[in-house]
């Protein structure tokens, strides 16, 4: 029985990808937190090792909480993490591999000079989750730690020459009013064009930065794209999206405490996120586990430079088996069809919808600023003009159970607004505690493209969807009772007045990778 939450310290070392994660070895609820450790050569098949970091010293005796890895010059990994000390204070500690010649990095040493950062003048119960550190042009390391000052979310900045002695900078890297505690901040550079990722310490003209925070208040994350001033050590968002809980999200669904790392092998920045259960806690105890890590995603800056784009890492393709293929199929108004020939309880579906006319798009009310509320109002069963169209995944044969993933196009003044929703309201015959419809707007010019793509990764109790090539991503947890194993069906539907064409649909069965010491 066990429970996992935040991904911690992802990194690549000597041919191996490492993922650590907050983990309760004694139960499927949060508690007794250690840094569990798994290794992989492809980030799909995983081998669990012994926990790497666990409470043992005065500076972490009450908990080993989240943190990040940094690769020091000479390819030496180091971990910064939050310890809960004997007095219950949140302090920042450092840990080093015991044996650098072991590519598995099985054992970690916590020097006695810890803690290296103490909550001086900072709320000691709101001071945690150090980021990956980065090196400034002056040869000095920087790291940020999440915090709050009253209701203001804070990313405190610390500097060090040797990674051992750290001093608090006069000004935080960034802060934002009324956002509450900033958990698990993540701060990294992105290239202004192309998909290649950058090392966290990369510098250069024209680079942008991304600052992501996880909000304890809402249990959602948001990020901004902005400019990092290396000389002043401040981050200023570009102001192209709100710098608060209404801002952009890596994922508009059940996705929290996320963290990226730079993969030096394929030169990509990879995003990990934790997806919590939405089930009743007693069911977690029965099934013996709770919480999952989502499929790793490559993340880059969109060519519009206003948002990031995410796409499942290509290694996922190695798990594809049997394929179904459909092309140029019309889905008439108020119609649907089934995708047959493969099992879809574990599947990867990629579909492109052609939208030939936007004439009948519903009018957009400018008061609809909250996509989630709008999807609650206009779910998949509410007929529209252009859309709702999309997929019904993990559906039972007679559709008593189904999770709808869909788009709806609206006509606003001088533009069209595209809404993407993932609606689990009818996902299970057994009512759940928490079944929110998740949604995000999709920043595309559909009048120009006349088409939109959708990719969904379906895995028994998880649906991860990527709209418009990964511009809007939504993860949900669902618990069907009929639509399981070979009884899970996949449909394409159109509940709008306008006909839609599936120009291409590819769907693959996905085989189960190695996990949990299989
Ligand atoms: N989980 C960790 C904290 C972090 C929170 C504790 C976020 O370090 O702030 O398990 O989910």
């Amino acid at each position: 029985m066990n429970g996992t939450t935040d991904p911690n310290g992802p990194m690549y070392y000597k041919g191996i990808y490492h993922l650590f994660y907050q983990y309760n070895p004694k139960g499927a609820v949060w508690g007794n937190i250690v840094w569990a450790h798994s290794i992989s050569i492809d980030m799909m098949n995983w081998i669990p090792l012994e926990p790497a970091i666990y409470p043992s010293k005065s500076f972490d005796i009450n908990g080993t909480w989240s943190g990040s890895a940094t690769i020091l010059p000479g390819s030496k990994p180091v971990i910064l993490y939050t310890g809960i000390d004997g007095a219950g204070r949140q302090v920042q500690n450092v840990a080093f591999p015991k044996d650098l010649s072991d590519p598995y990095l099985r054992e970690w040493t916590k020097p006695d000079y810890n803690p290296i950062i103490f909550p001086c003048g900072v709320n000691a119960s709101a001071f945690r989750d150090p980021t990956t550190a980065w090196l400034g042009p002056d040869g000095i390391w920087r790291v940020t730690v999440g915090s709050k000052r009253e209701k203001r979310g804070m990313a405190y900045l610390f500097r060090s020459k040797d990674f051992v002695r750290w001093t608090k900078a006069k000004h935080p890297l960034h802060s934002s009013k009324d956002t509450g505690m900033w958990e698990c901040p993540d701060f990294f550079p992105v290239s202004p064009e192309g998909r290649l990722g950058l090392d966290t310490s990369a510098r250069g003209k024209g680079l942008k930065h991304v600052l992501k925070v996880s909000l304890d208040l809402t249990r959602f994350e948001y990020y901004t794209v902005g400019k990092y001033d290396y000389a002043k050590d401040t981050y200023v968002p570009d102001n192209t999206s709100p710098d608060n809980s209404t801002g952009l999200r890596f994922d508009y669904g059940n996705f929290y405490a996320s963290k990226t790392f730079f993969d030096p092998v394929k030169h990509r920045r990879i995003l990990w996120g934790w997806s919590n259960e939405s089930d009743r806690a007693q069911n977690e105890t029965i099934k013996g586990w709770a919480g999952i890590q989502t499929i790793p995603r490559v993340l880059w800056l969109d060519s519009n430079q206003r948002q990031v784009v995410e796409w499942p890492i290509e290694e996922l393709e190695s798990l594809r088996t049997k394929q179904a293929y459909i092309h140029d199929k019309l889905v008439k108004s108020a119609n649907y069809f089934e995708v047959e020939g493969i099992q879809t309880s574990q599947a990867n579906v990629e579909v492109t919808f052609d939208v030939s006319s936007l004439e009948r798009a519903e009018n957009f009310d400018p008061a609809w600023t909250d996509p989630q509320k709008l999807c609650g109002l206009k779910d998949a069963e509410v007929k529209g003009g252009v859309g709702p169209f999309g997929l019904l995944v993990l559906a039972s044969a007679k559709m008593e159970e189904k999770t709808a993933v869909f788009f709806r196009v609206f006509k606003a003044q001088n533009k069209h607004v595209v809404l993407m929703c993932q609606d689990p309201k009818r996902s299970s015959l057994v009512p759940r505690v928490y079944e929110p419809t998740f949604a995000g707007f999709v920043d595309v010019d559909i009048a120009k493209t006349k088409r939109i793509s959708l990719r969904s990764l379906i895995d028994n109790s998880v649906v991860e969807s990527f709209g418009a090539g990964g511009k809007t991503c939504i993860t949900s947890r669902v618990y069907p009772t009929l639509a399981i194993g070979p009884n899970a069906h996949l449909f394409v539907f159109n509940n709008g007045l306008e006909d839609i064409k599936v120009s291409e649909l590819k769907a693959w069965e996905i085989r189960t990778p190695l996990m949990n010491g299989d």
Side-chain angles (χ1 to χ4, degrees):
M1 290 226 307
N2 47 61
T4 175
T5 62
D6 319 3
N8 290 160
M11 68 165 118
Y12 174 84
Y13 184 66
K14 290 196 174 177
I16 309 242
Y17 293 101
H18 293 256
L19 180 69
F20 307 87
Y21 40 98
Q22 296 280 285
Y23 180 76
N24 181 355
K26 296 188 184 150
V29 291
W30 185 89
N32 315 302
I33 295 294
V34 302
W35 275 49
H37 183 192
S38 288
I39 53 167
S40 174
I41 51 170
D42 58 6
M43 285 183 274
M44 289 291 137
N45 296 283
W46 290 92
I47 300 172
L49 301 178
E50 287 300 305
I53 297 174
Y54 43 85
S56 66
K57 303 267 181 139
S58 60
F59 50 78
D60 67 8
I61 197 69
N62 286 314
T64 50
W65 287 13
S66 286
S68 309
T70 303
I71 310 292
L72 299 180
S75 298
K76 292 189 189 129
V78 54
I79 281 171
L80 292 173
Y81 71 97
T82 299
I84 312 298
D85 76 2
R89 289 170 300 204
Q90 300 179 2
V91 300
Q92 316 313 320
N93 301 321
V94 67
F96 297 96
K98 206 169 196 172
D99 175 11
L100 279 172
S101 72
D102 172 20
Y104 298 161
L105 299 172
R106 278 193 195 87
E107 289 183 82
W108 289 76
T109 308
K110 303 181 287 192
D112 284 333
Y113 56 70
N114 276 311
I116 46 143
I117 301 177
F118 195 76
C120 261
V122 175
N123 180 346
S125 60
F127 182 57
R128 56 185 182 268
D129 311 337
T131 60
T132 294
W134 66 96
L135 203 53
D138 49 7
I140 292 174
W141 288 99
R142 273 93 172 143
V143 74
T144 69
V145 179
S147 188
K148 66 173 174 184
R149 207 170 52 211
E150 292 177 354
K151 284 195 244 159
R152 191 174 193 88
M154 309 285 296
Y156 284 116
L157 182 72
F158 295 83
R159 298 193 191 95
S160 173
K161 278 193 184 133
D162 55 7
F163 234 85
V164 175
R165 279 171 295 264
W166 292 83
T167 3
K168 185 159 163 264
K170 216 160 144 207
H171 302 288
L173 177 76
H174 190 55
S175 72
S176 179
K177 69 172 171 35
D178 295 332
T179 50
M181 174 66 193
W182 281 5
E183 295 189 319
C184 303
D186 194 15
F187 183 60
F188 54 88
V190 281
S191 173
E193 54 190 31
R195 297 183 177 195
L196 289 187
L198 298 168
D199 182 90
T200 310
S201 294
R203 289 188 293 272
K205 263 210 162 131
L207 292 194
K208 296 261 177 185
H209 270 74
V210 171
L211 176 64
K212 183 277 309 181
V213 294
S214 308
L215 297 187
D216 194 24
L217 270 181
T218 61
R219 304 306 285 173
F220 287 117
E221 309 191 312
Y222 82 91
Y223 72 89
T224 49
V225 175
K227 204 82 193 134
Y228 171 51
D229 185 327
Y230 289 90
K232 291 197 193 124
D233 250 342
T234 52
Y235 167 74
V236 181
D238 283 348
N239 233 342
T240 46
S241 67
D243 185 10
N244 59 39
S245 59
T246 67
L248 293 169
R249 296 192 199 159
F250 286 164
D251 190 301
Y252 289 82
N254 184 338
F255 189 90
Y256 196 70
S258 73
K259 189 173 297 294
T260 63
F261 78 105
F262 175 64
D263 170 13
V265 187
K266 295 196 177 174
H267 297 274
R268 48 190 181 170
R269 183 154 288 270
I270 294 178
L271 170 69
W272 280 101
W274 157 48
S275 191
N276 196 4
E277 302 303 309
S278 308
D279 207 355
R280 295 209 162 99
Q282 71 254 39
N283 290 351
E284 289 158 25
T285 308
I286 294 164
K287 77 174 185 275
W289 58 272
I292 55 161
Q293 305 297 330
T294 55
I295 299 284
R297 306 171 182 177
V298 185
L299 176 150
W300 67 92
L301 186 65
D302 186 69
S303 53
N304 71 17
Q305 301 206 358
R306 291 191 297 265
Q307 68 160 99
V308 302
V309 185
E310 292 151 46
W311 202 240
I313 56 168
E314 62 190 14
E315 285 83 344
L316 175 65
E317 288 156 31
S318 68
L319 302 180
R320 288 172 173 173
T321 61
K322 212 169 159 195
Q323 190 190 351
Y325 182 73
I326 290 163
H327 65 99
D328 296 320
K329 193 171 167 90
L330 203 65
V331 203
K332 288 198 150 305
S333 167
N335 247 298
Y336 65 87
F337 70 86
E338 179 165 7
V339 178
E340 287 170 303
I342 60 163
Q343 276 205 33
T344 56
S345 56
Q346 278 180 209
N348 171 4
V349 191
E350 296 182 28
V351 54
T352 306
F353 297 101
D354 280 4
V355 187
S356 53
S357 166
L358 297 172
E359 275 304 299
R360 294 200 251 195
E362 298 160 80
N363 284 328
F364 186 75
D365 180 344
W368 290 336
T369 49
D370 181 340
Q372 188 164 333
K373 267 199 196 141
L374 180 54
C375 267
L377 209 67
K378 288 177 176 283
D379 67 26
E381 317 243 307
V382 178
K383 294 206 176 345
V386 179
F389 60 84
L391 302 172
L392 298 174
V393 305
L394 294 173
S396 55
K398 293 190 188 141
M399 289 205 217
E400 305 96 321
E401 291 184 337
K402 60 192 168 195
T403 295
V405 193
F406 62 92
F407 299 110
R408 199 184 265 272
V409 183
F410 296 93
K411 208 180 328 182
Q413 237 184 355
N414 307 325
K415 62 168 188 175
H416 288 87
V417 175
V418 180
L419 179 70
M420 175 175 163
C421 305
Q422 192 150 282
D423 177 6
K425 277 205 289 284
R426 296 168 189 84
S427 59
S428 177
L429 286 178
V430 177
R432 305 290 149 173
V433 190
Y434 176 66
E435 272 173 341
T437 300
F438 292 123
F441 291 115
V442 195
D443 190 355
V444 284
D445 185 356
I446 195 147
K448 203 161 136 201
T449 59
K450 291 273 172 65
R451 54 170 45 178
I452 191 158
S453 72
L454 174 65
R455 179 173 184 186
S456 288
L457 308 179
I458 305 157
D459 184 4
N460 300 288
S461 69
V462 200
V463 185
E464 290 185 56
S465 296
F466 302 81
K471 283 190 155 218
T472 301
C473 309
I474 308 179
T475 299
S476 306
R477 303 298 310 278
V478 291
Y479 306 92
T481 58
L482 301 172
I484 51 177
N487 299 321
H489 297 259
L490 171 69
F491 298 93
V492 177
F493 80 99
N494 176 15
N495 237 340
L497 287 173
E498 201 64 65
D499 295 349
I500 299 292
K501 193 170 83 183
V502 169
S503 57
E504 190 174 64
L505 181 149
K506 296 180 192 163
W508 292 265
E509 288 182 18
I510 295 288
R511 75 179 158 75
T512 306
L514 294 180
M515 287 180 295
N516 307 328
D518 307 338

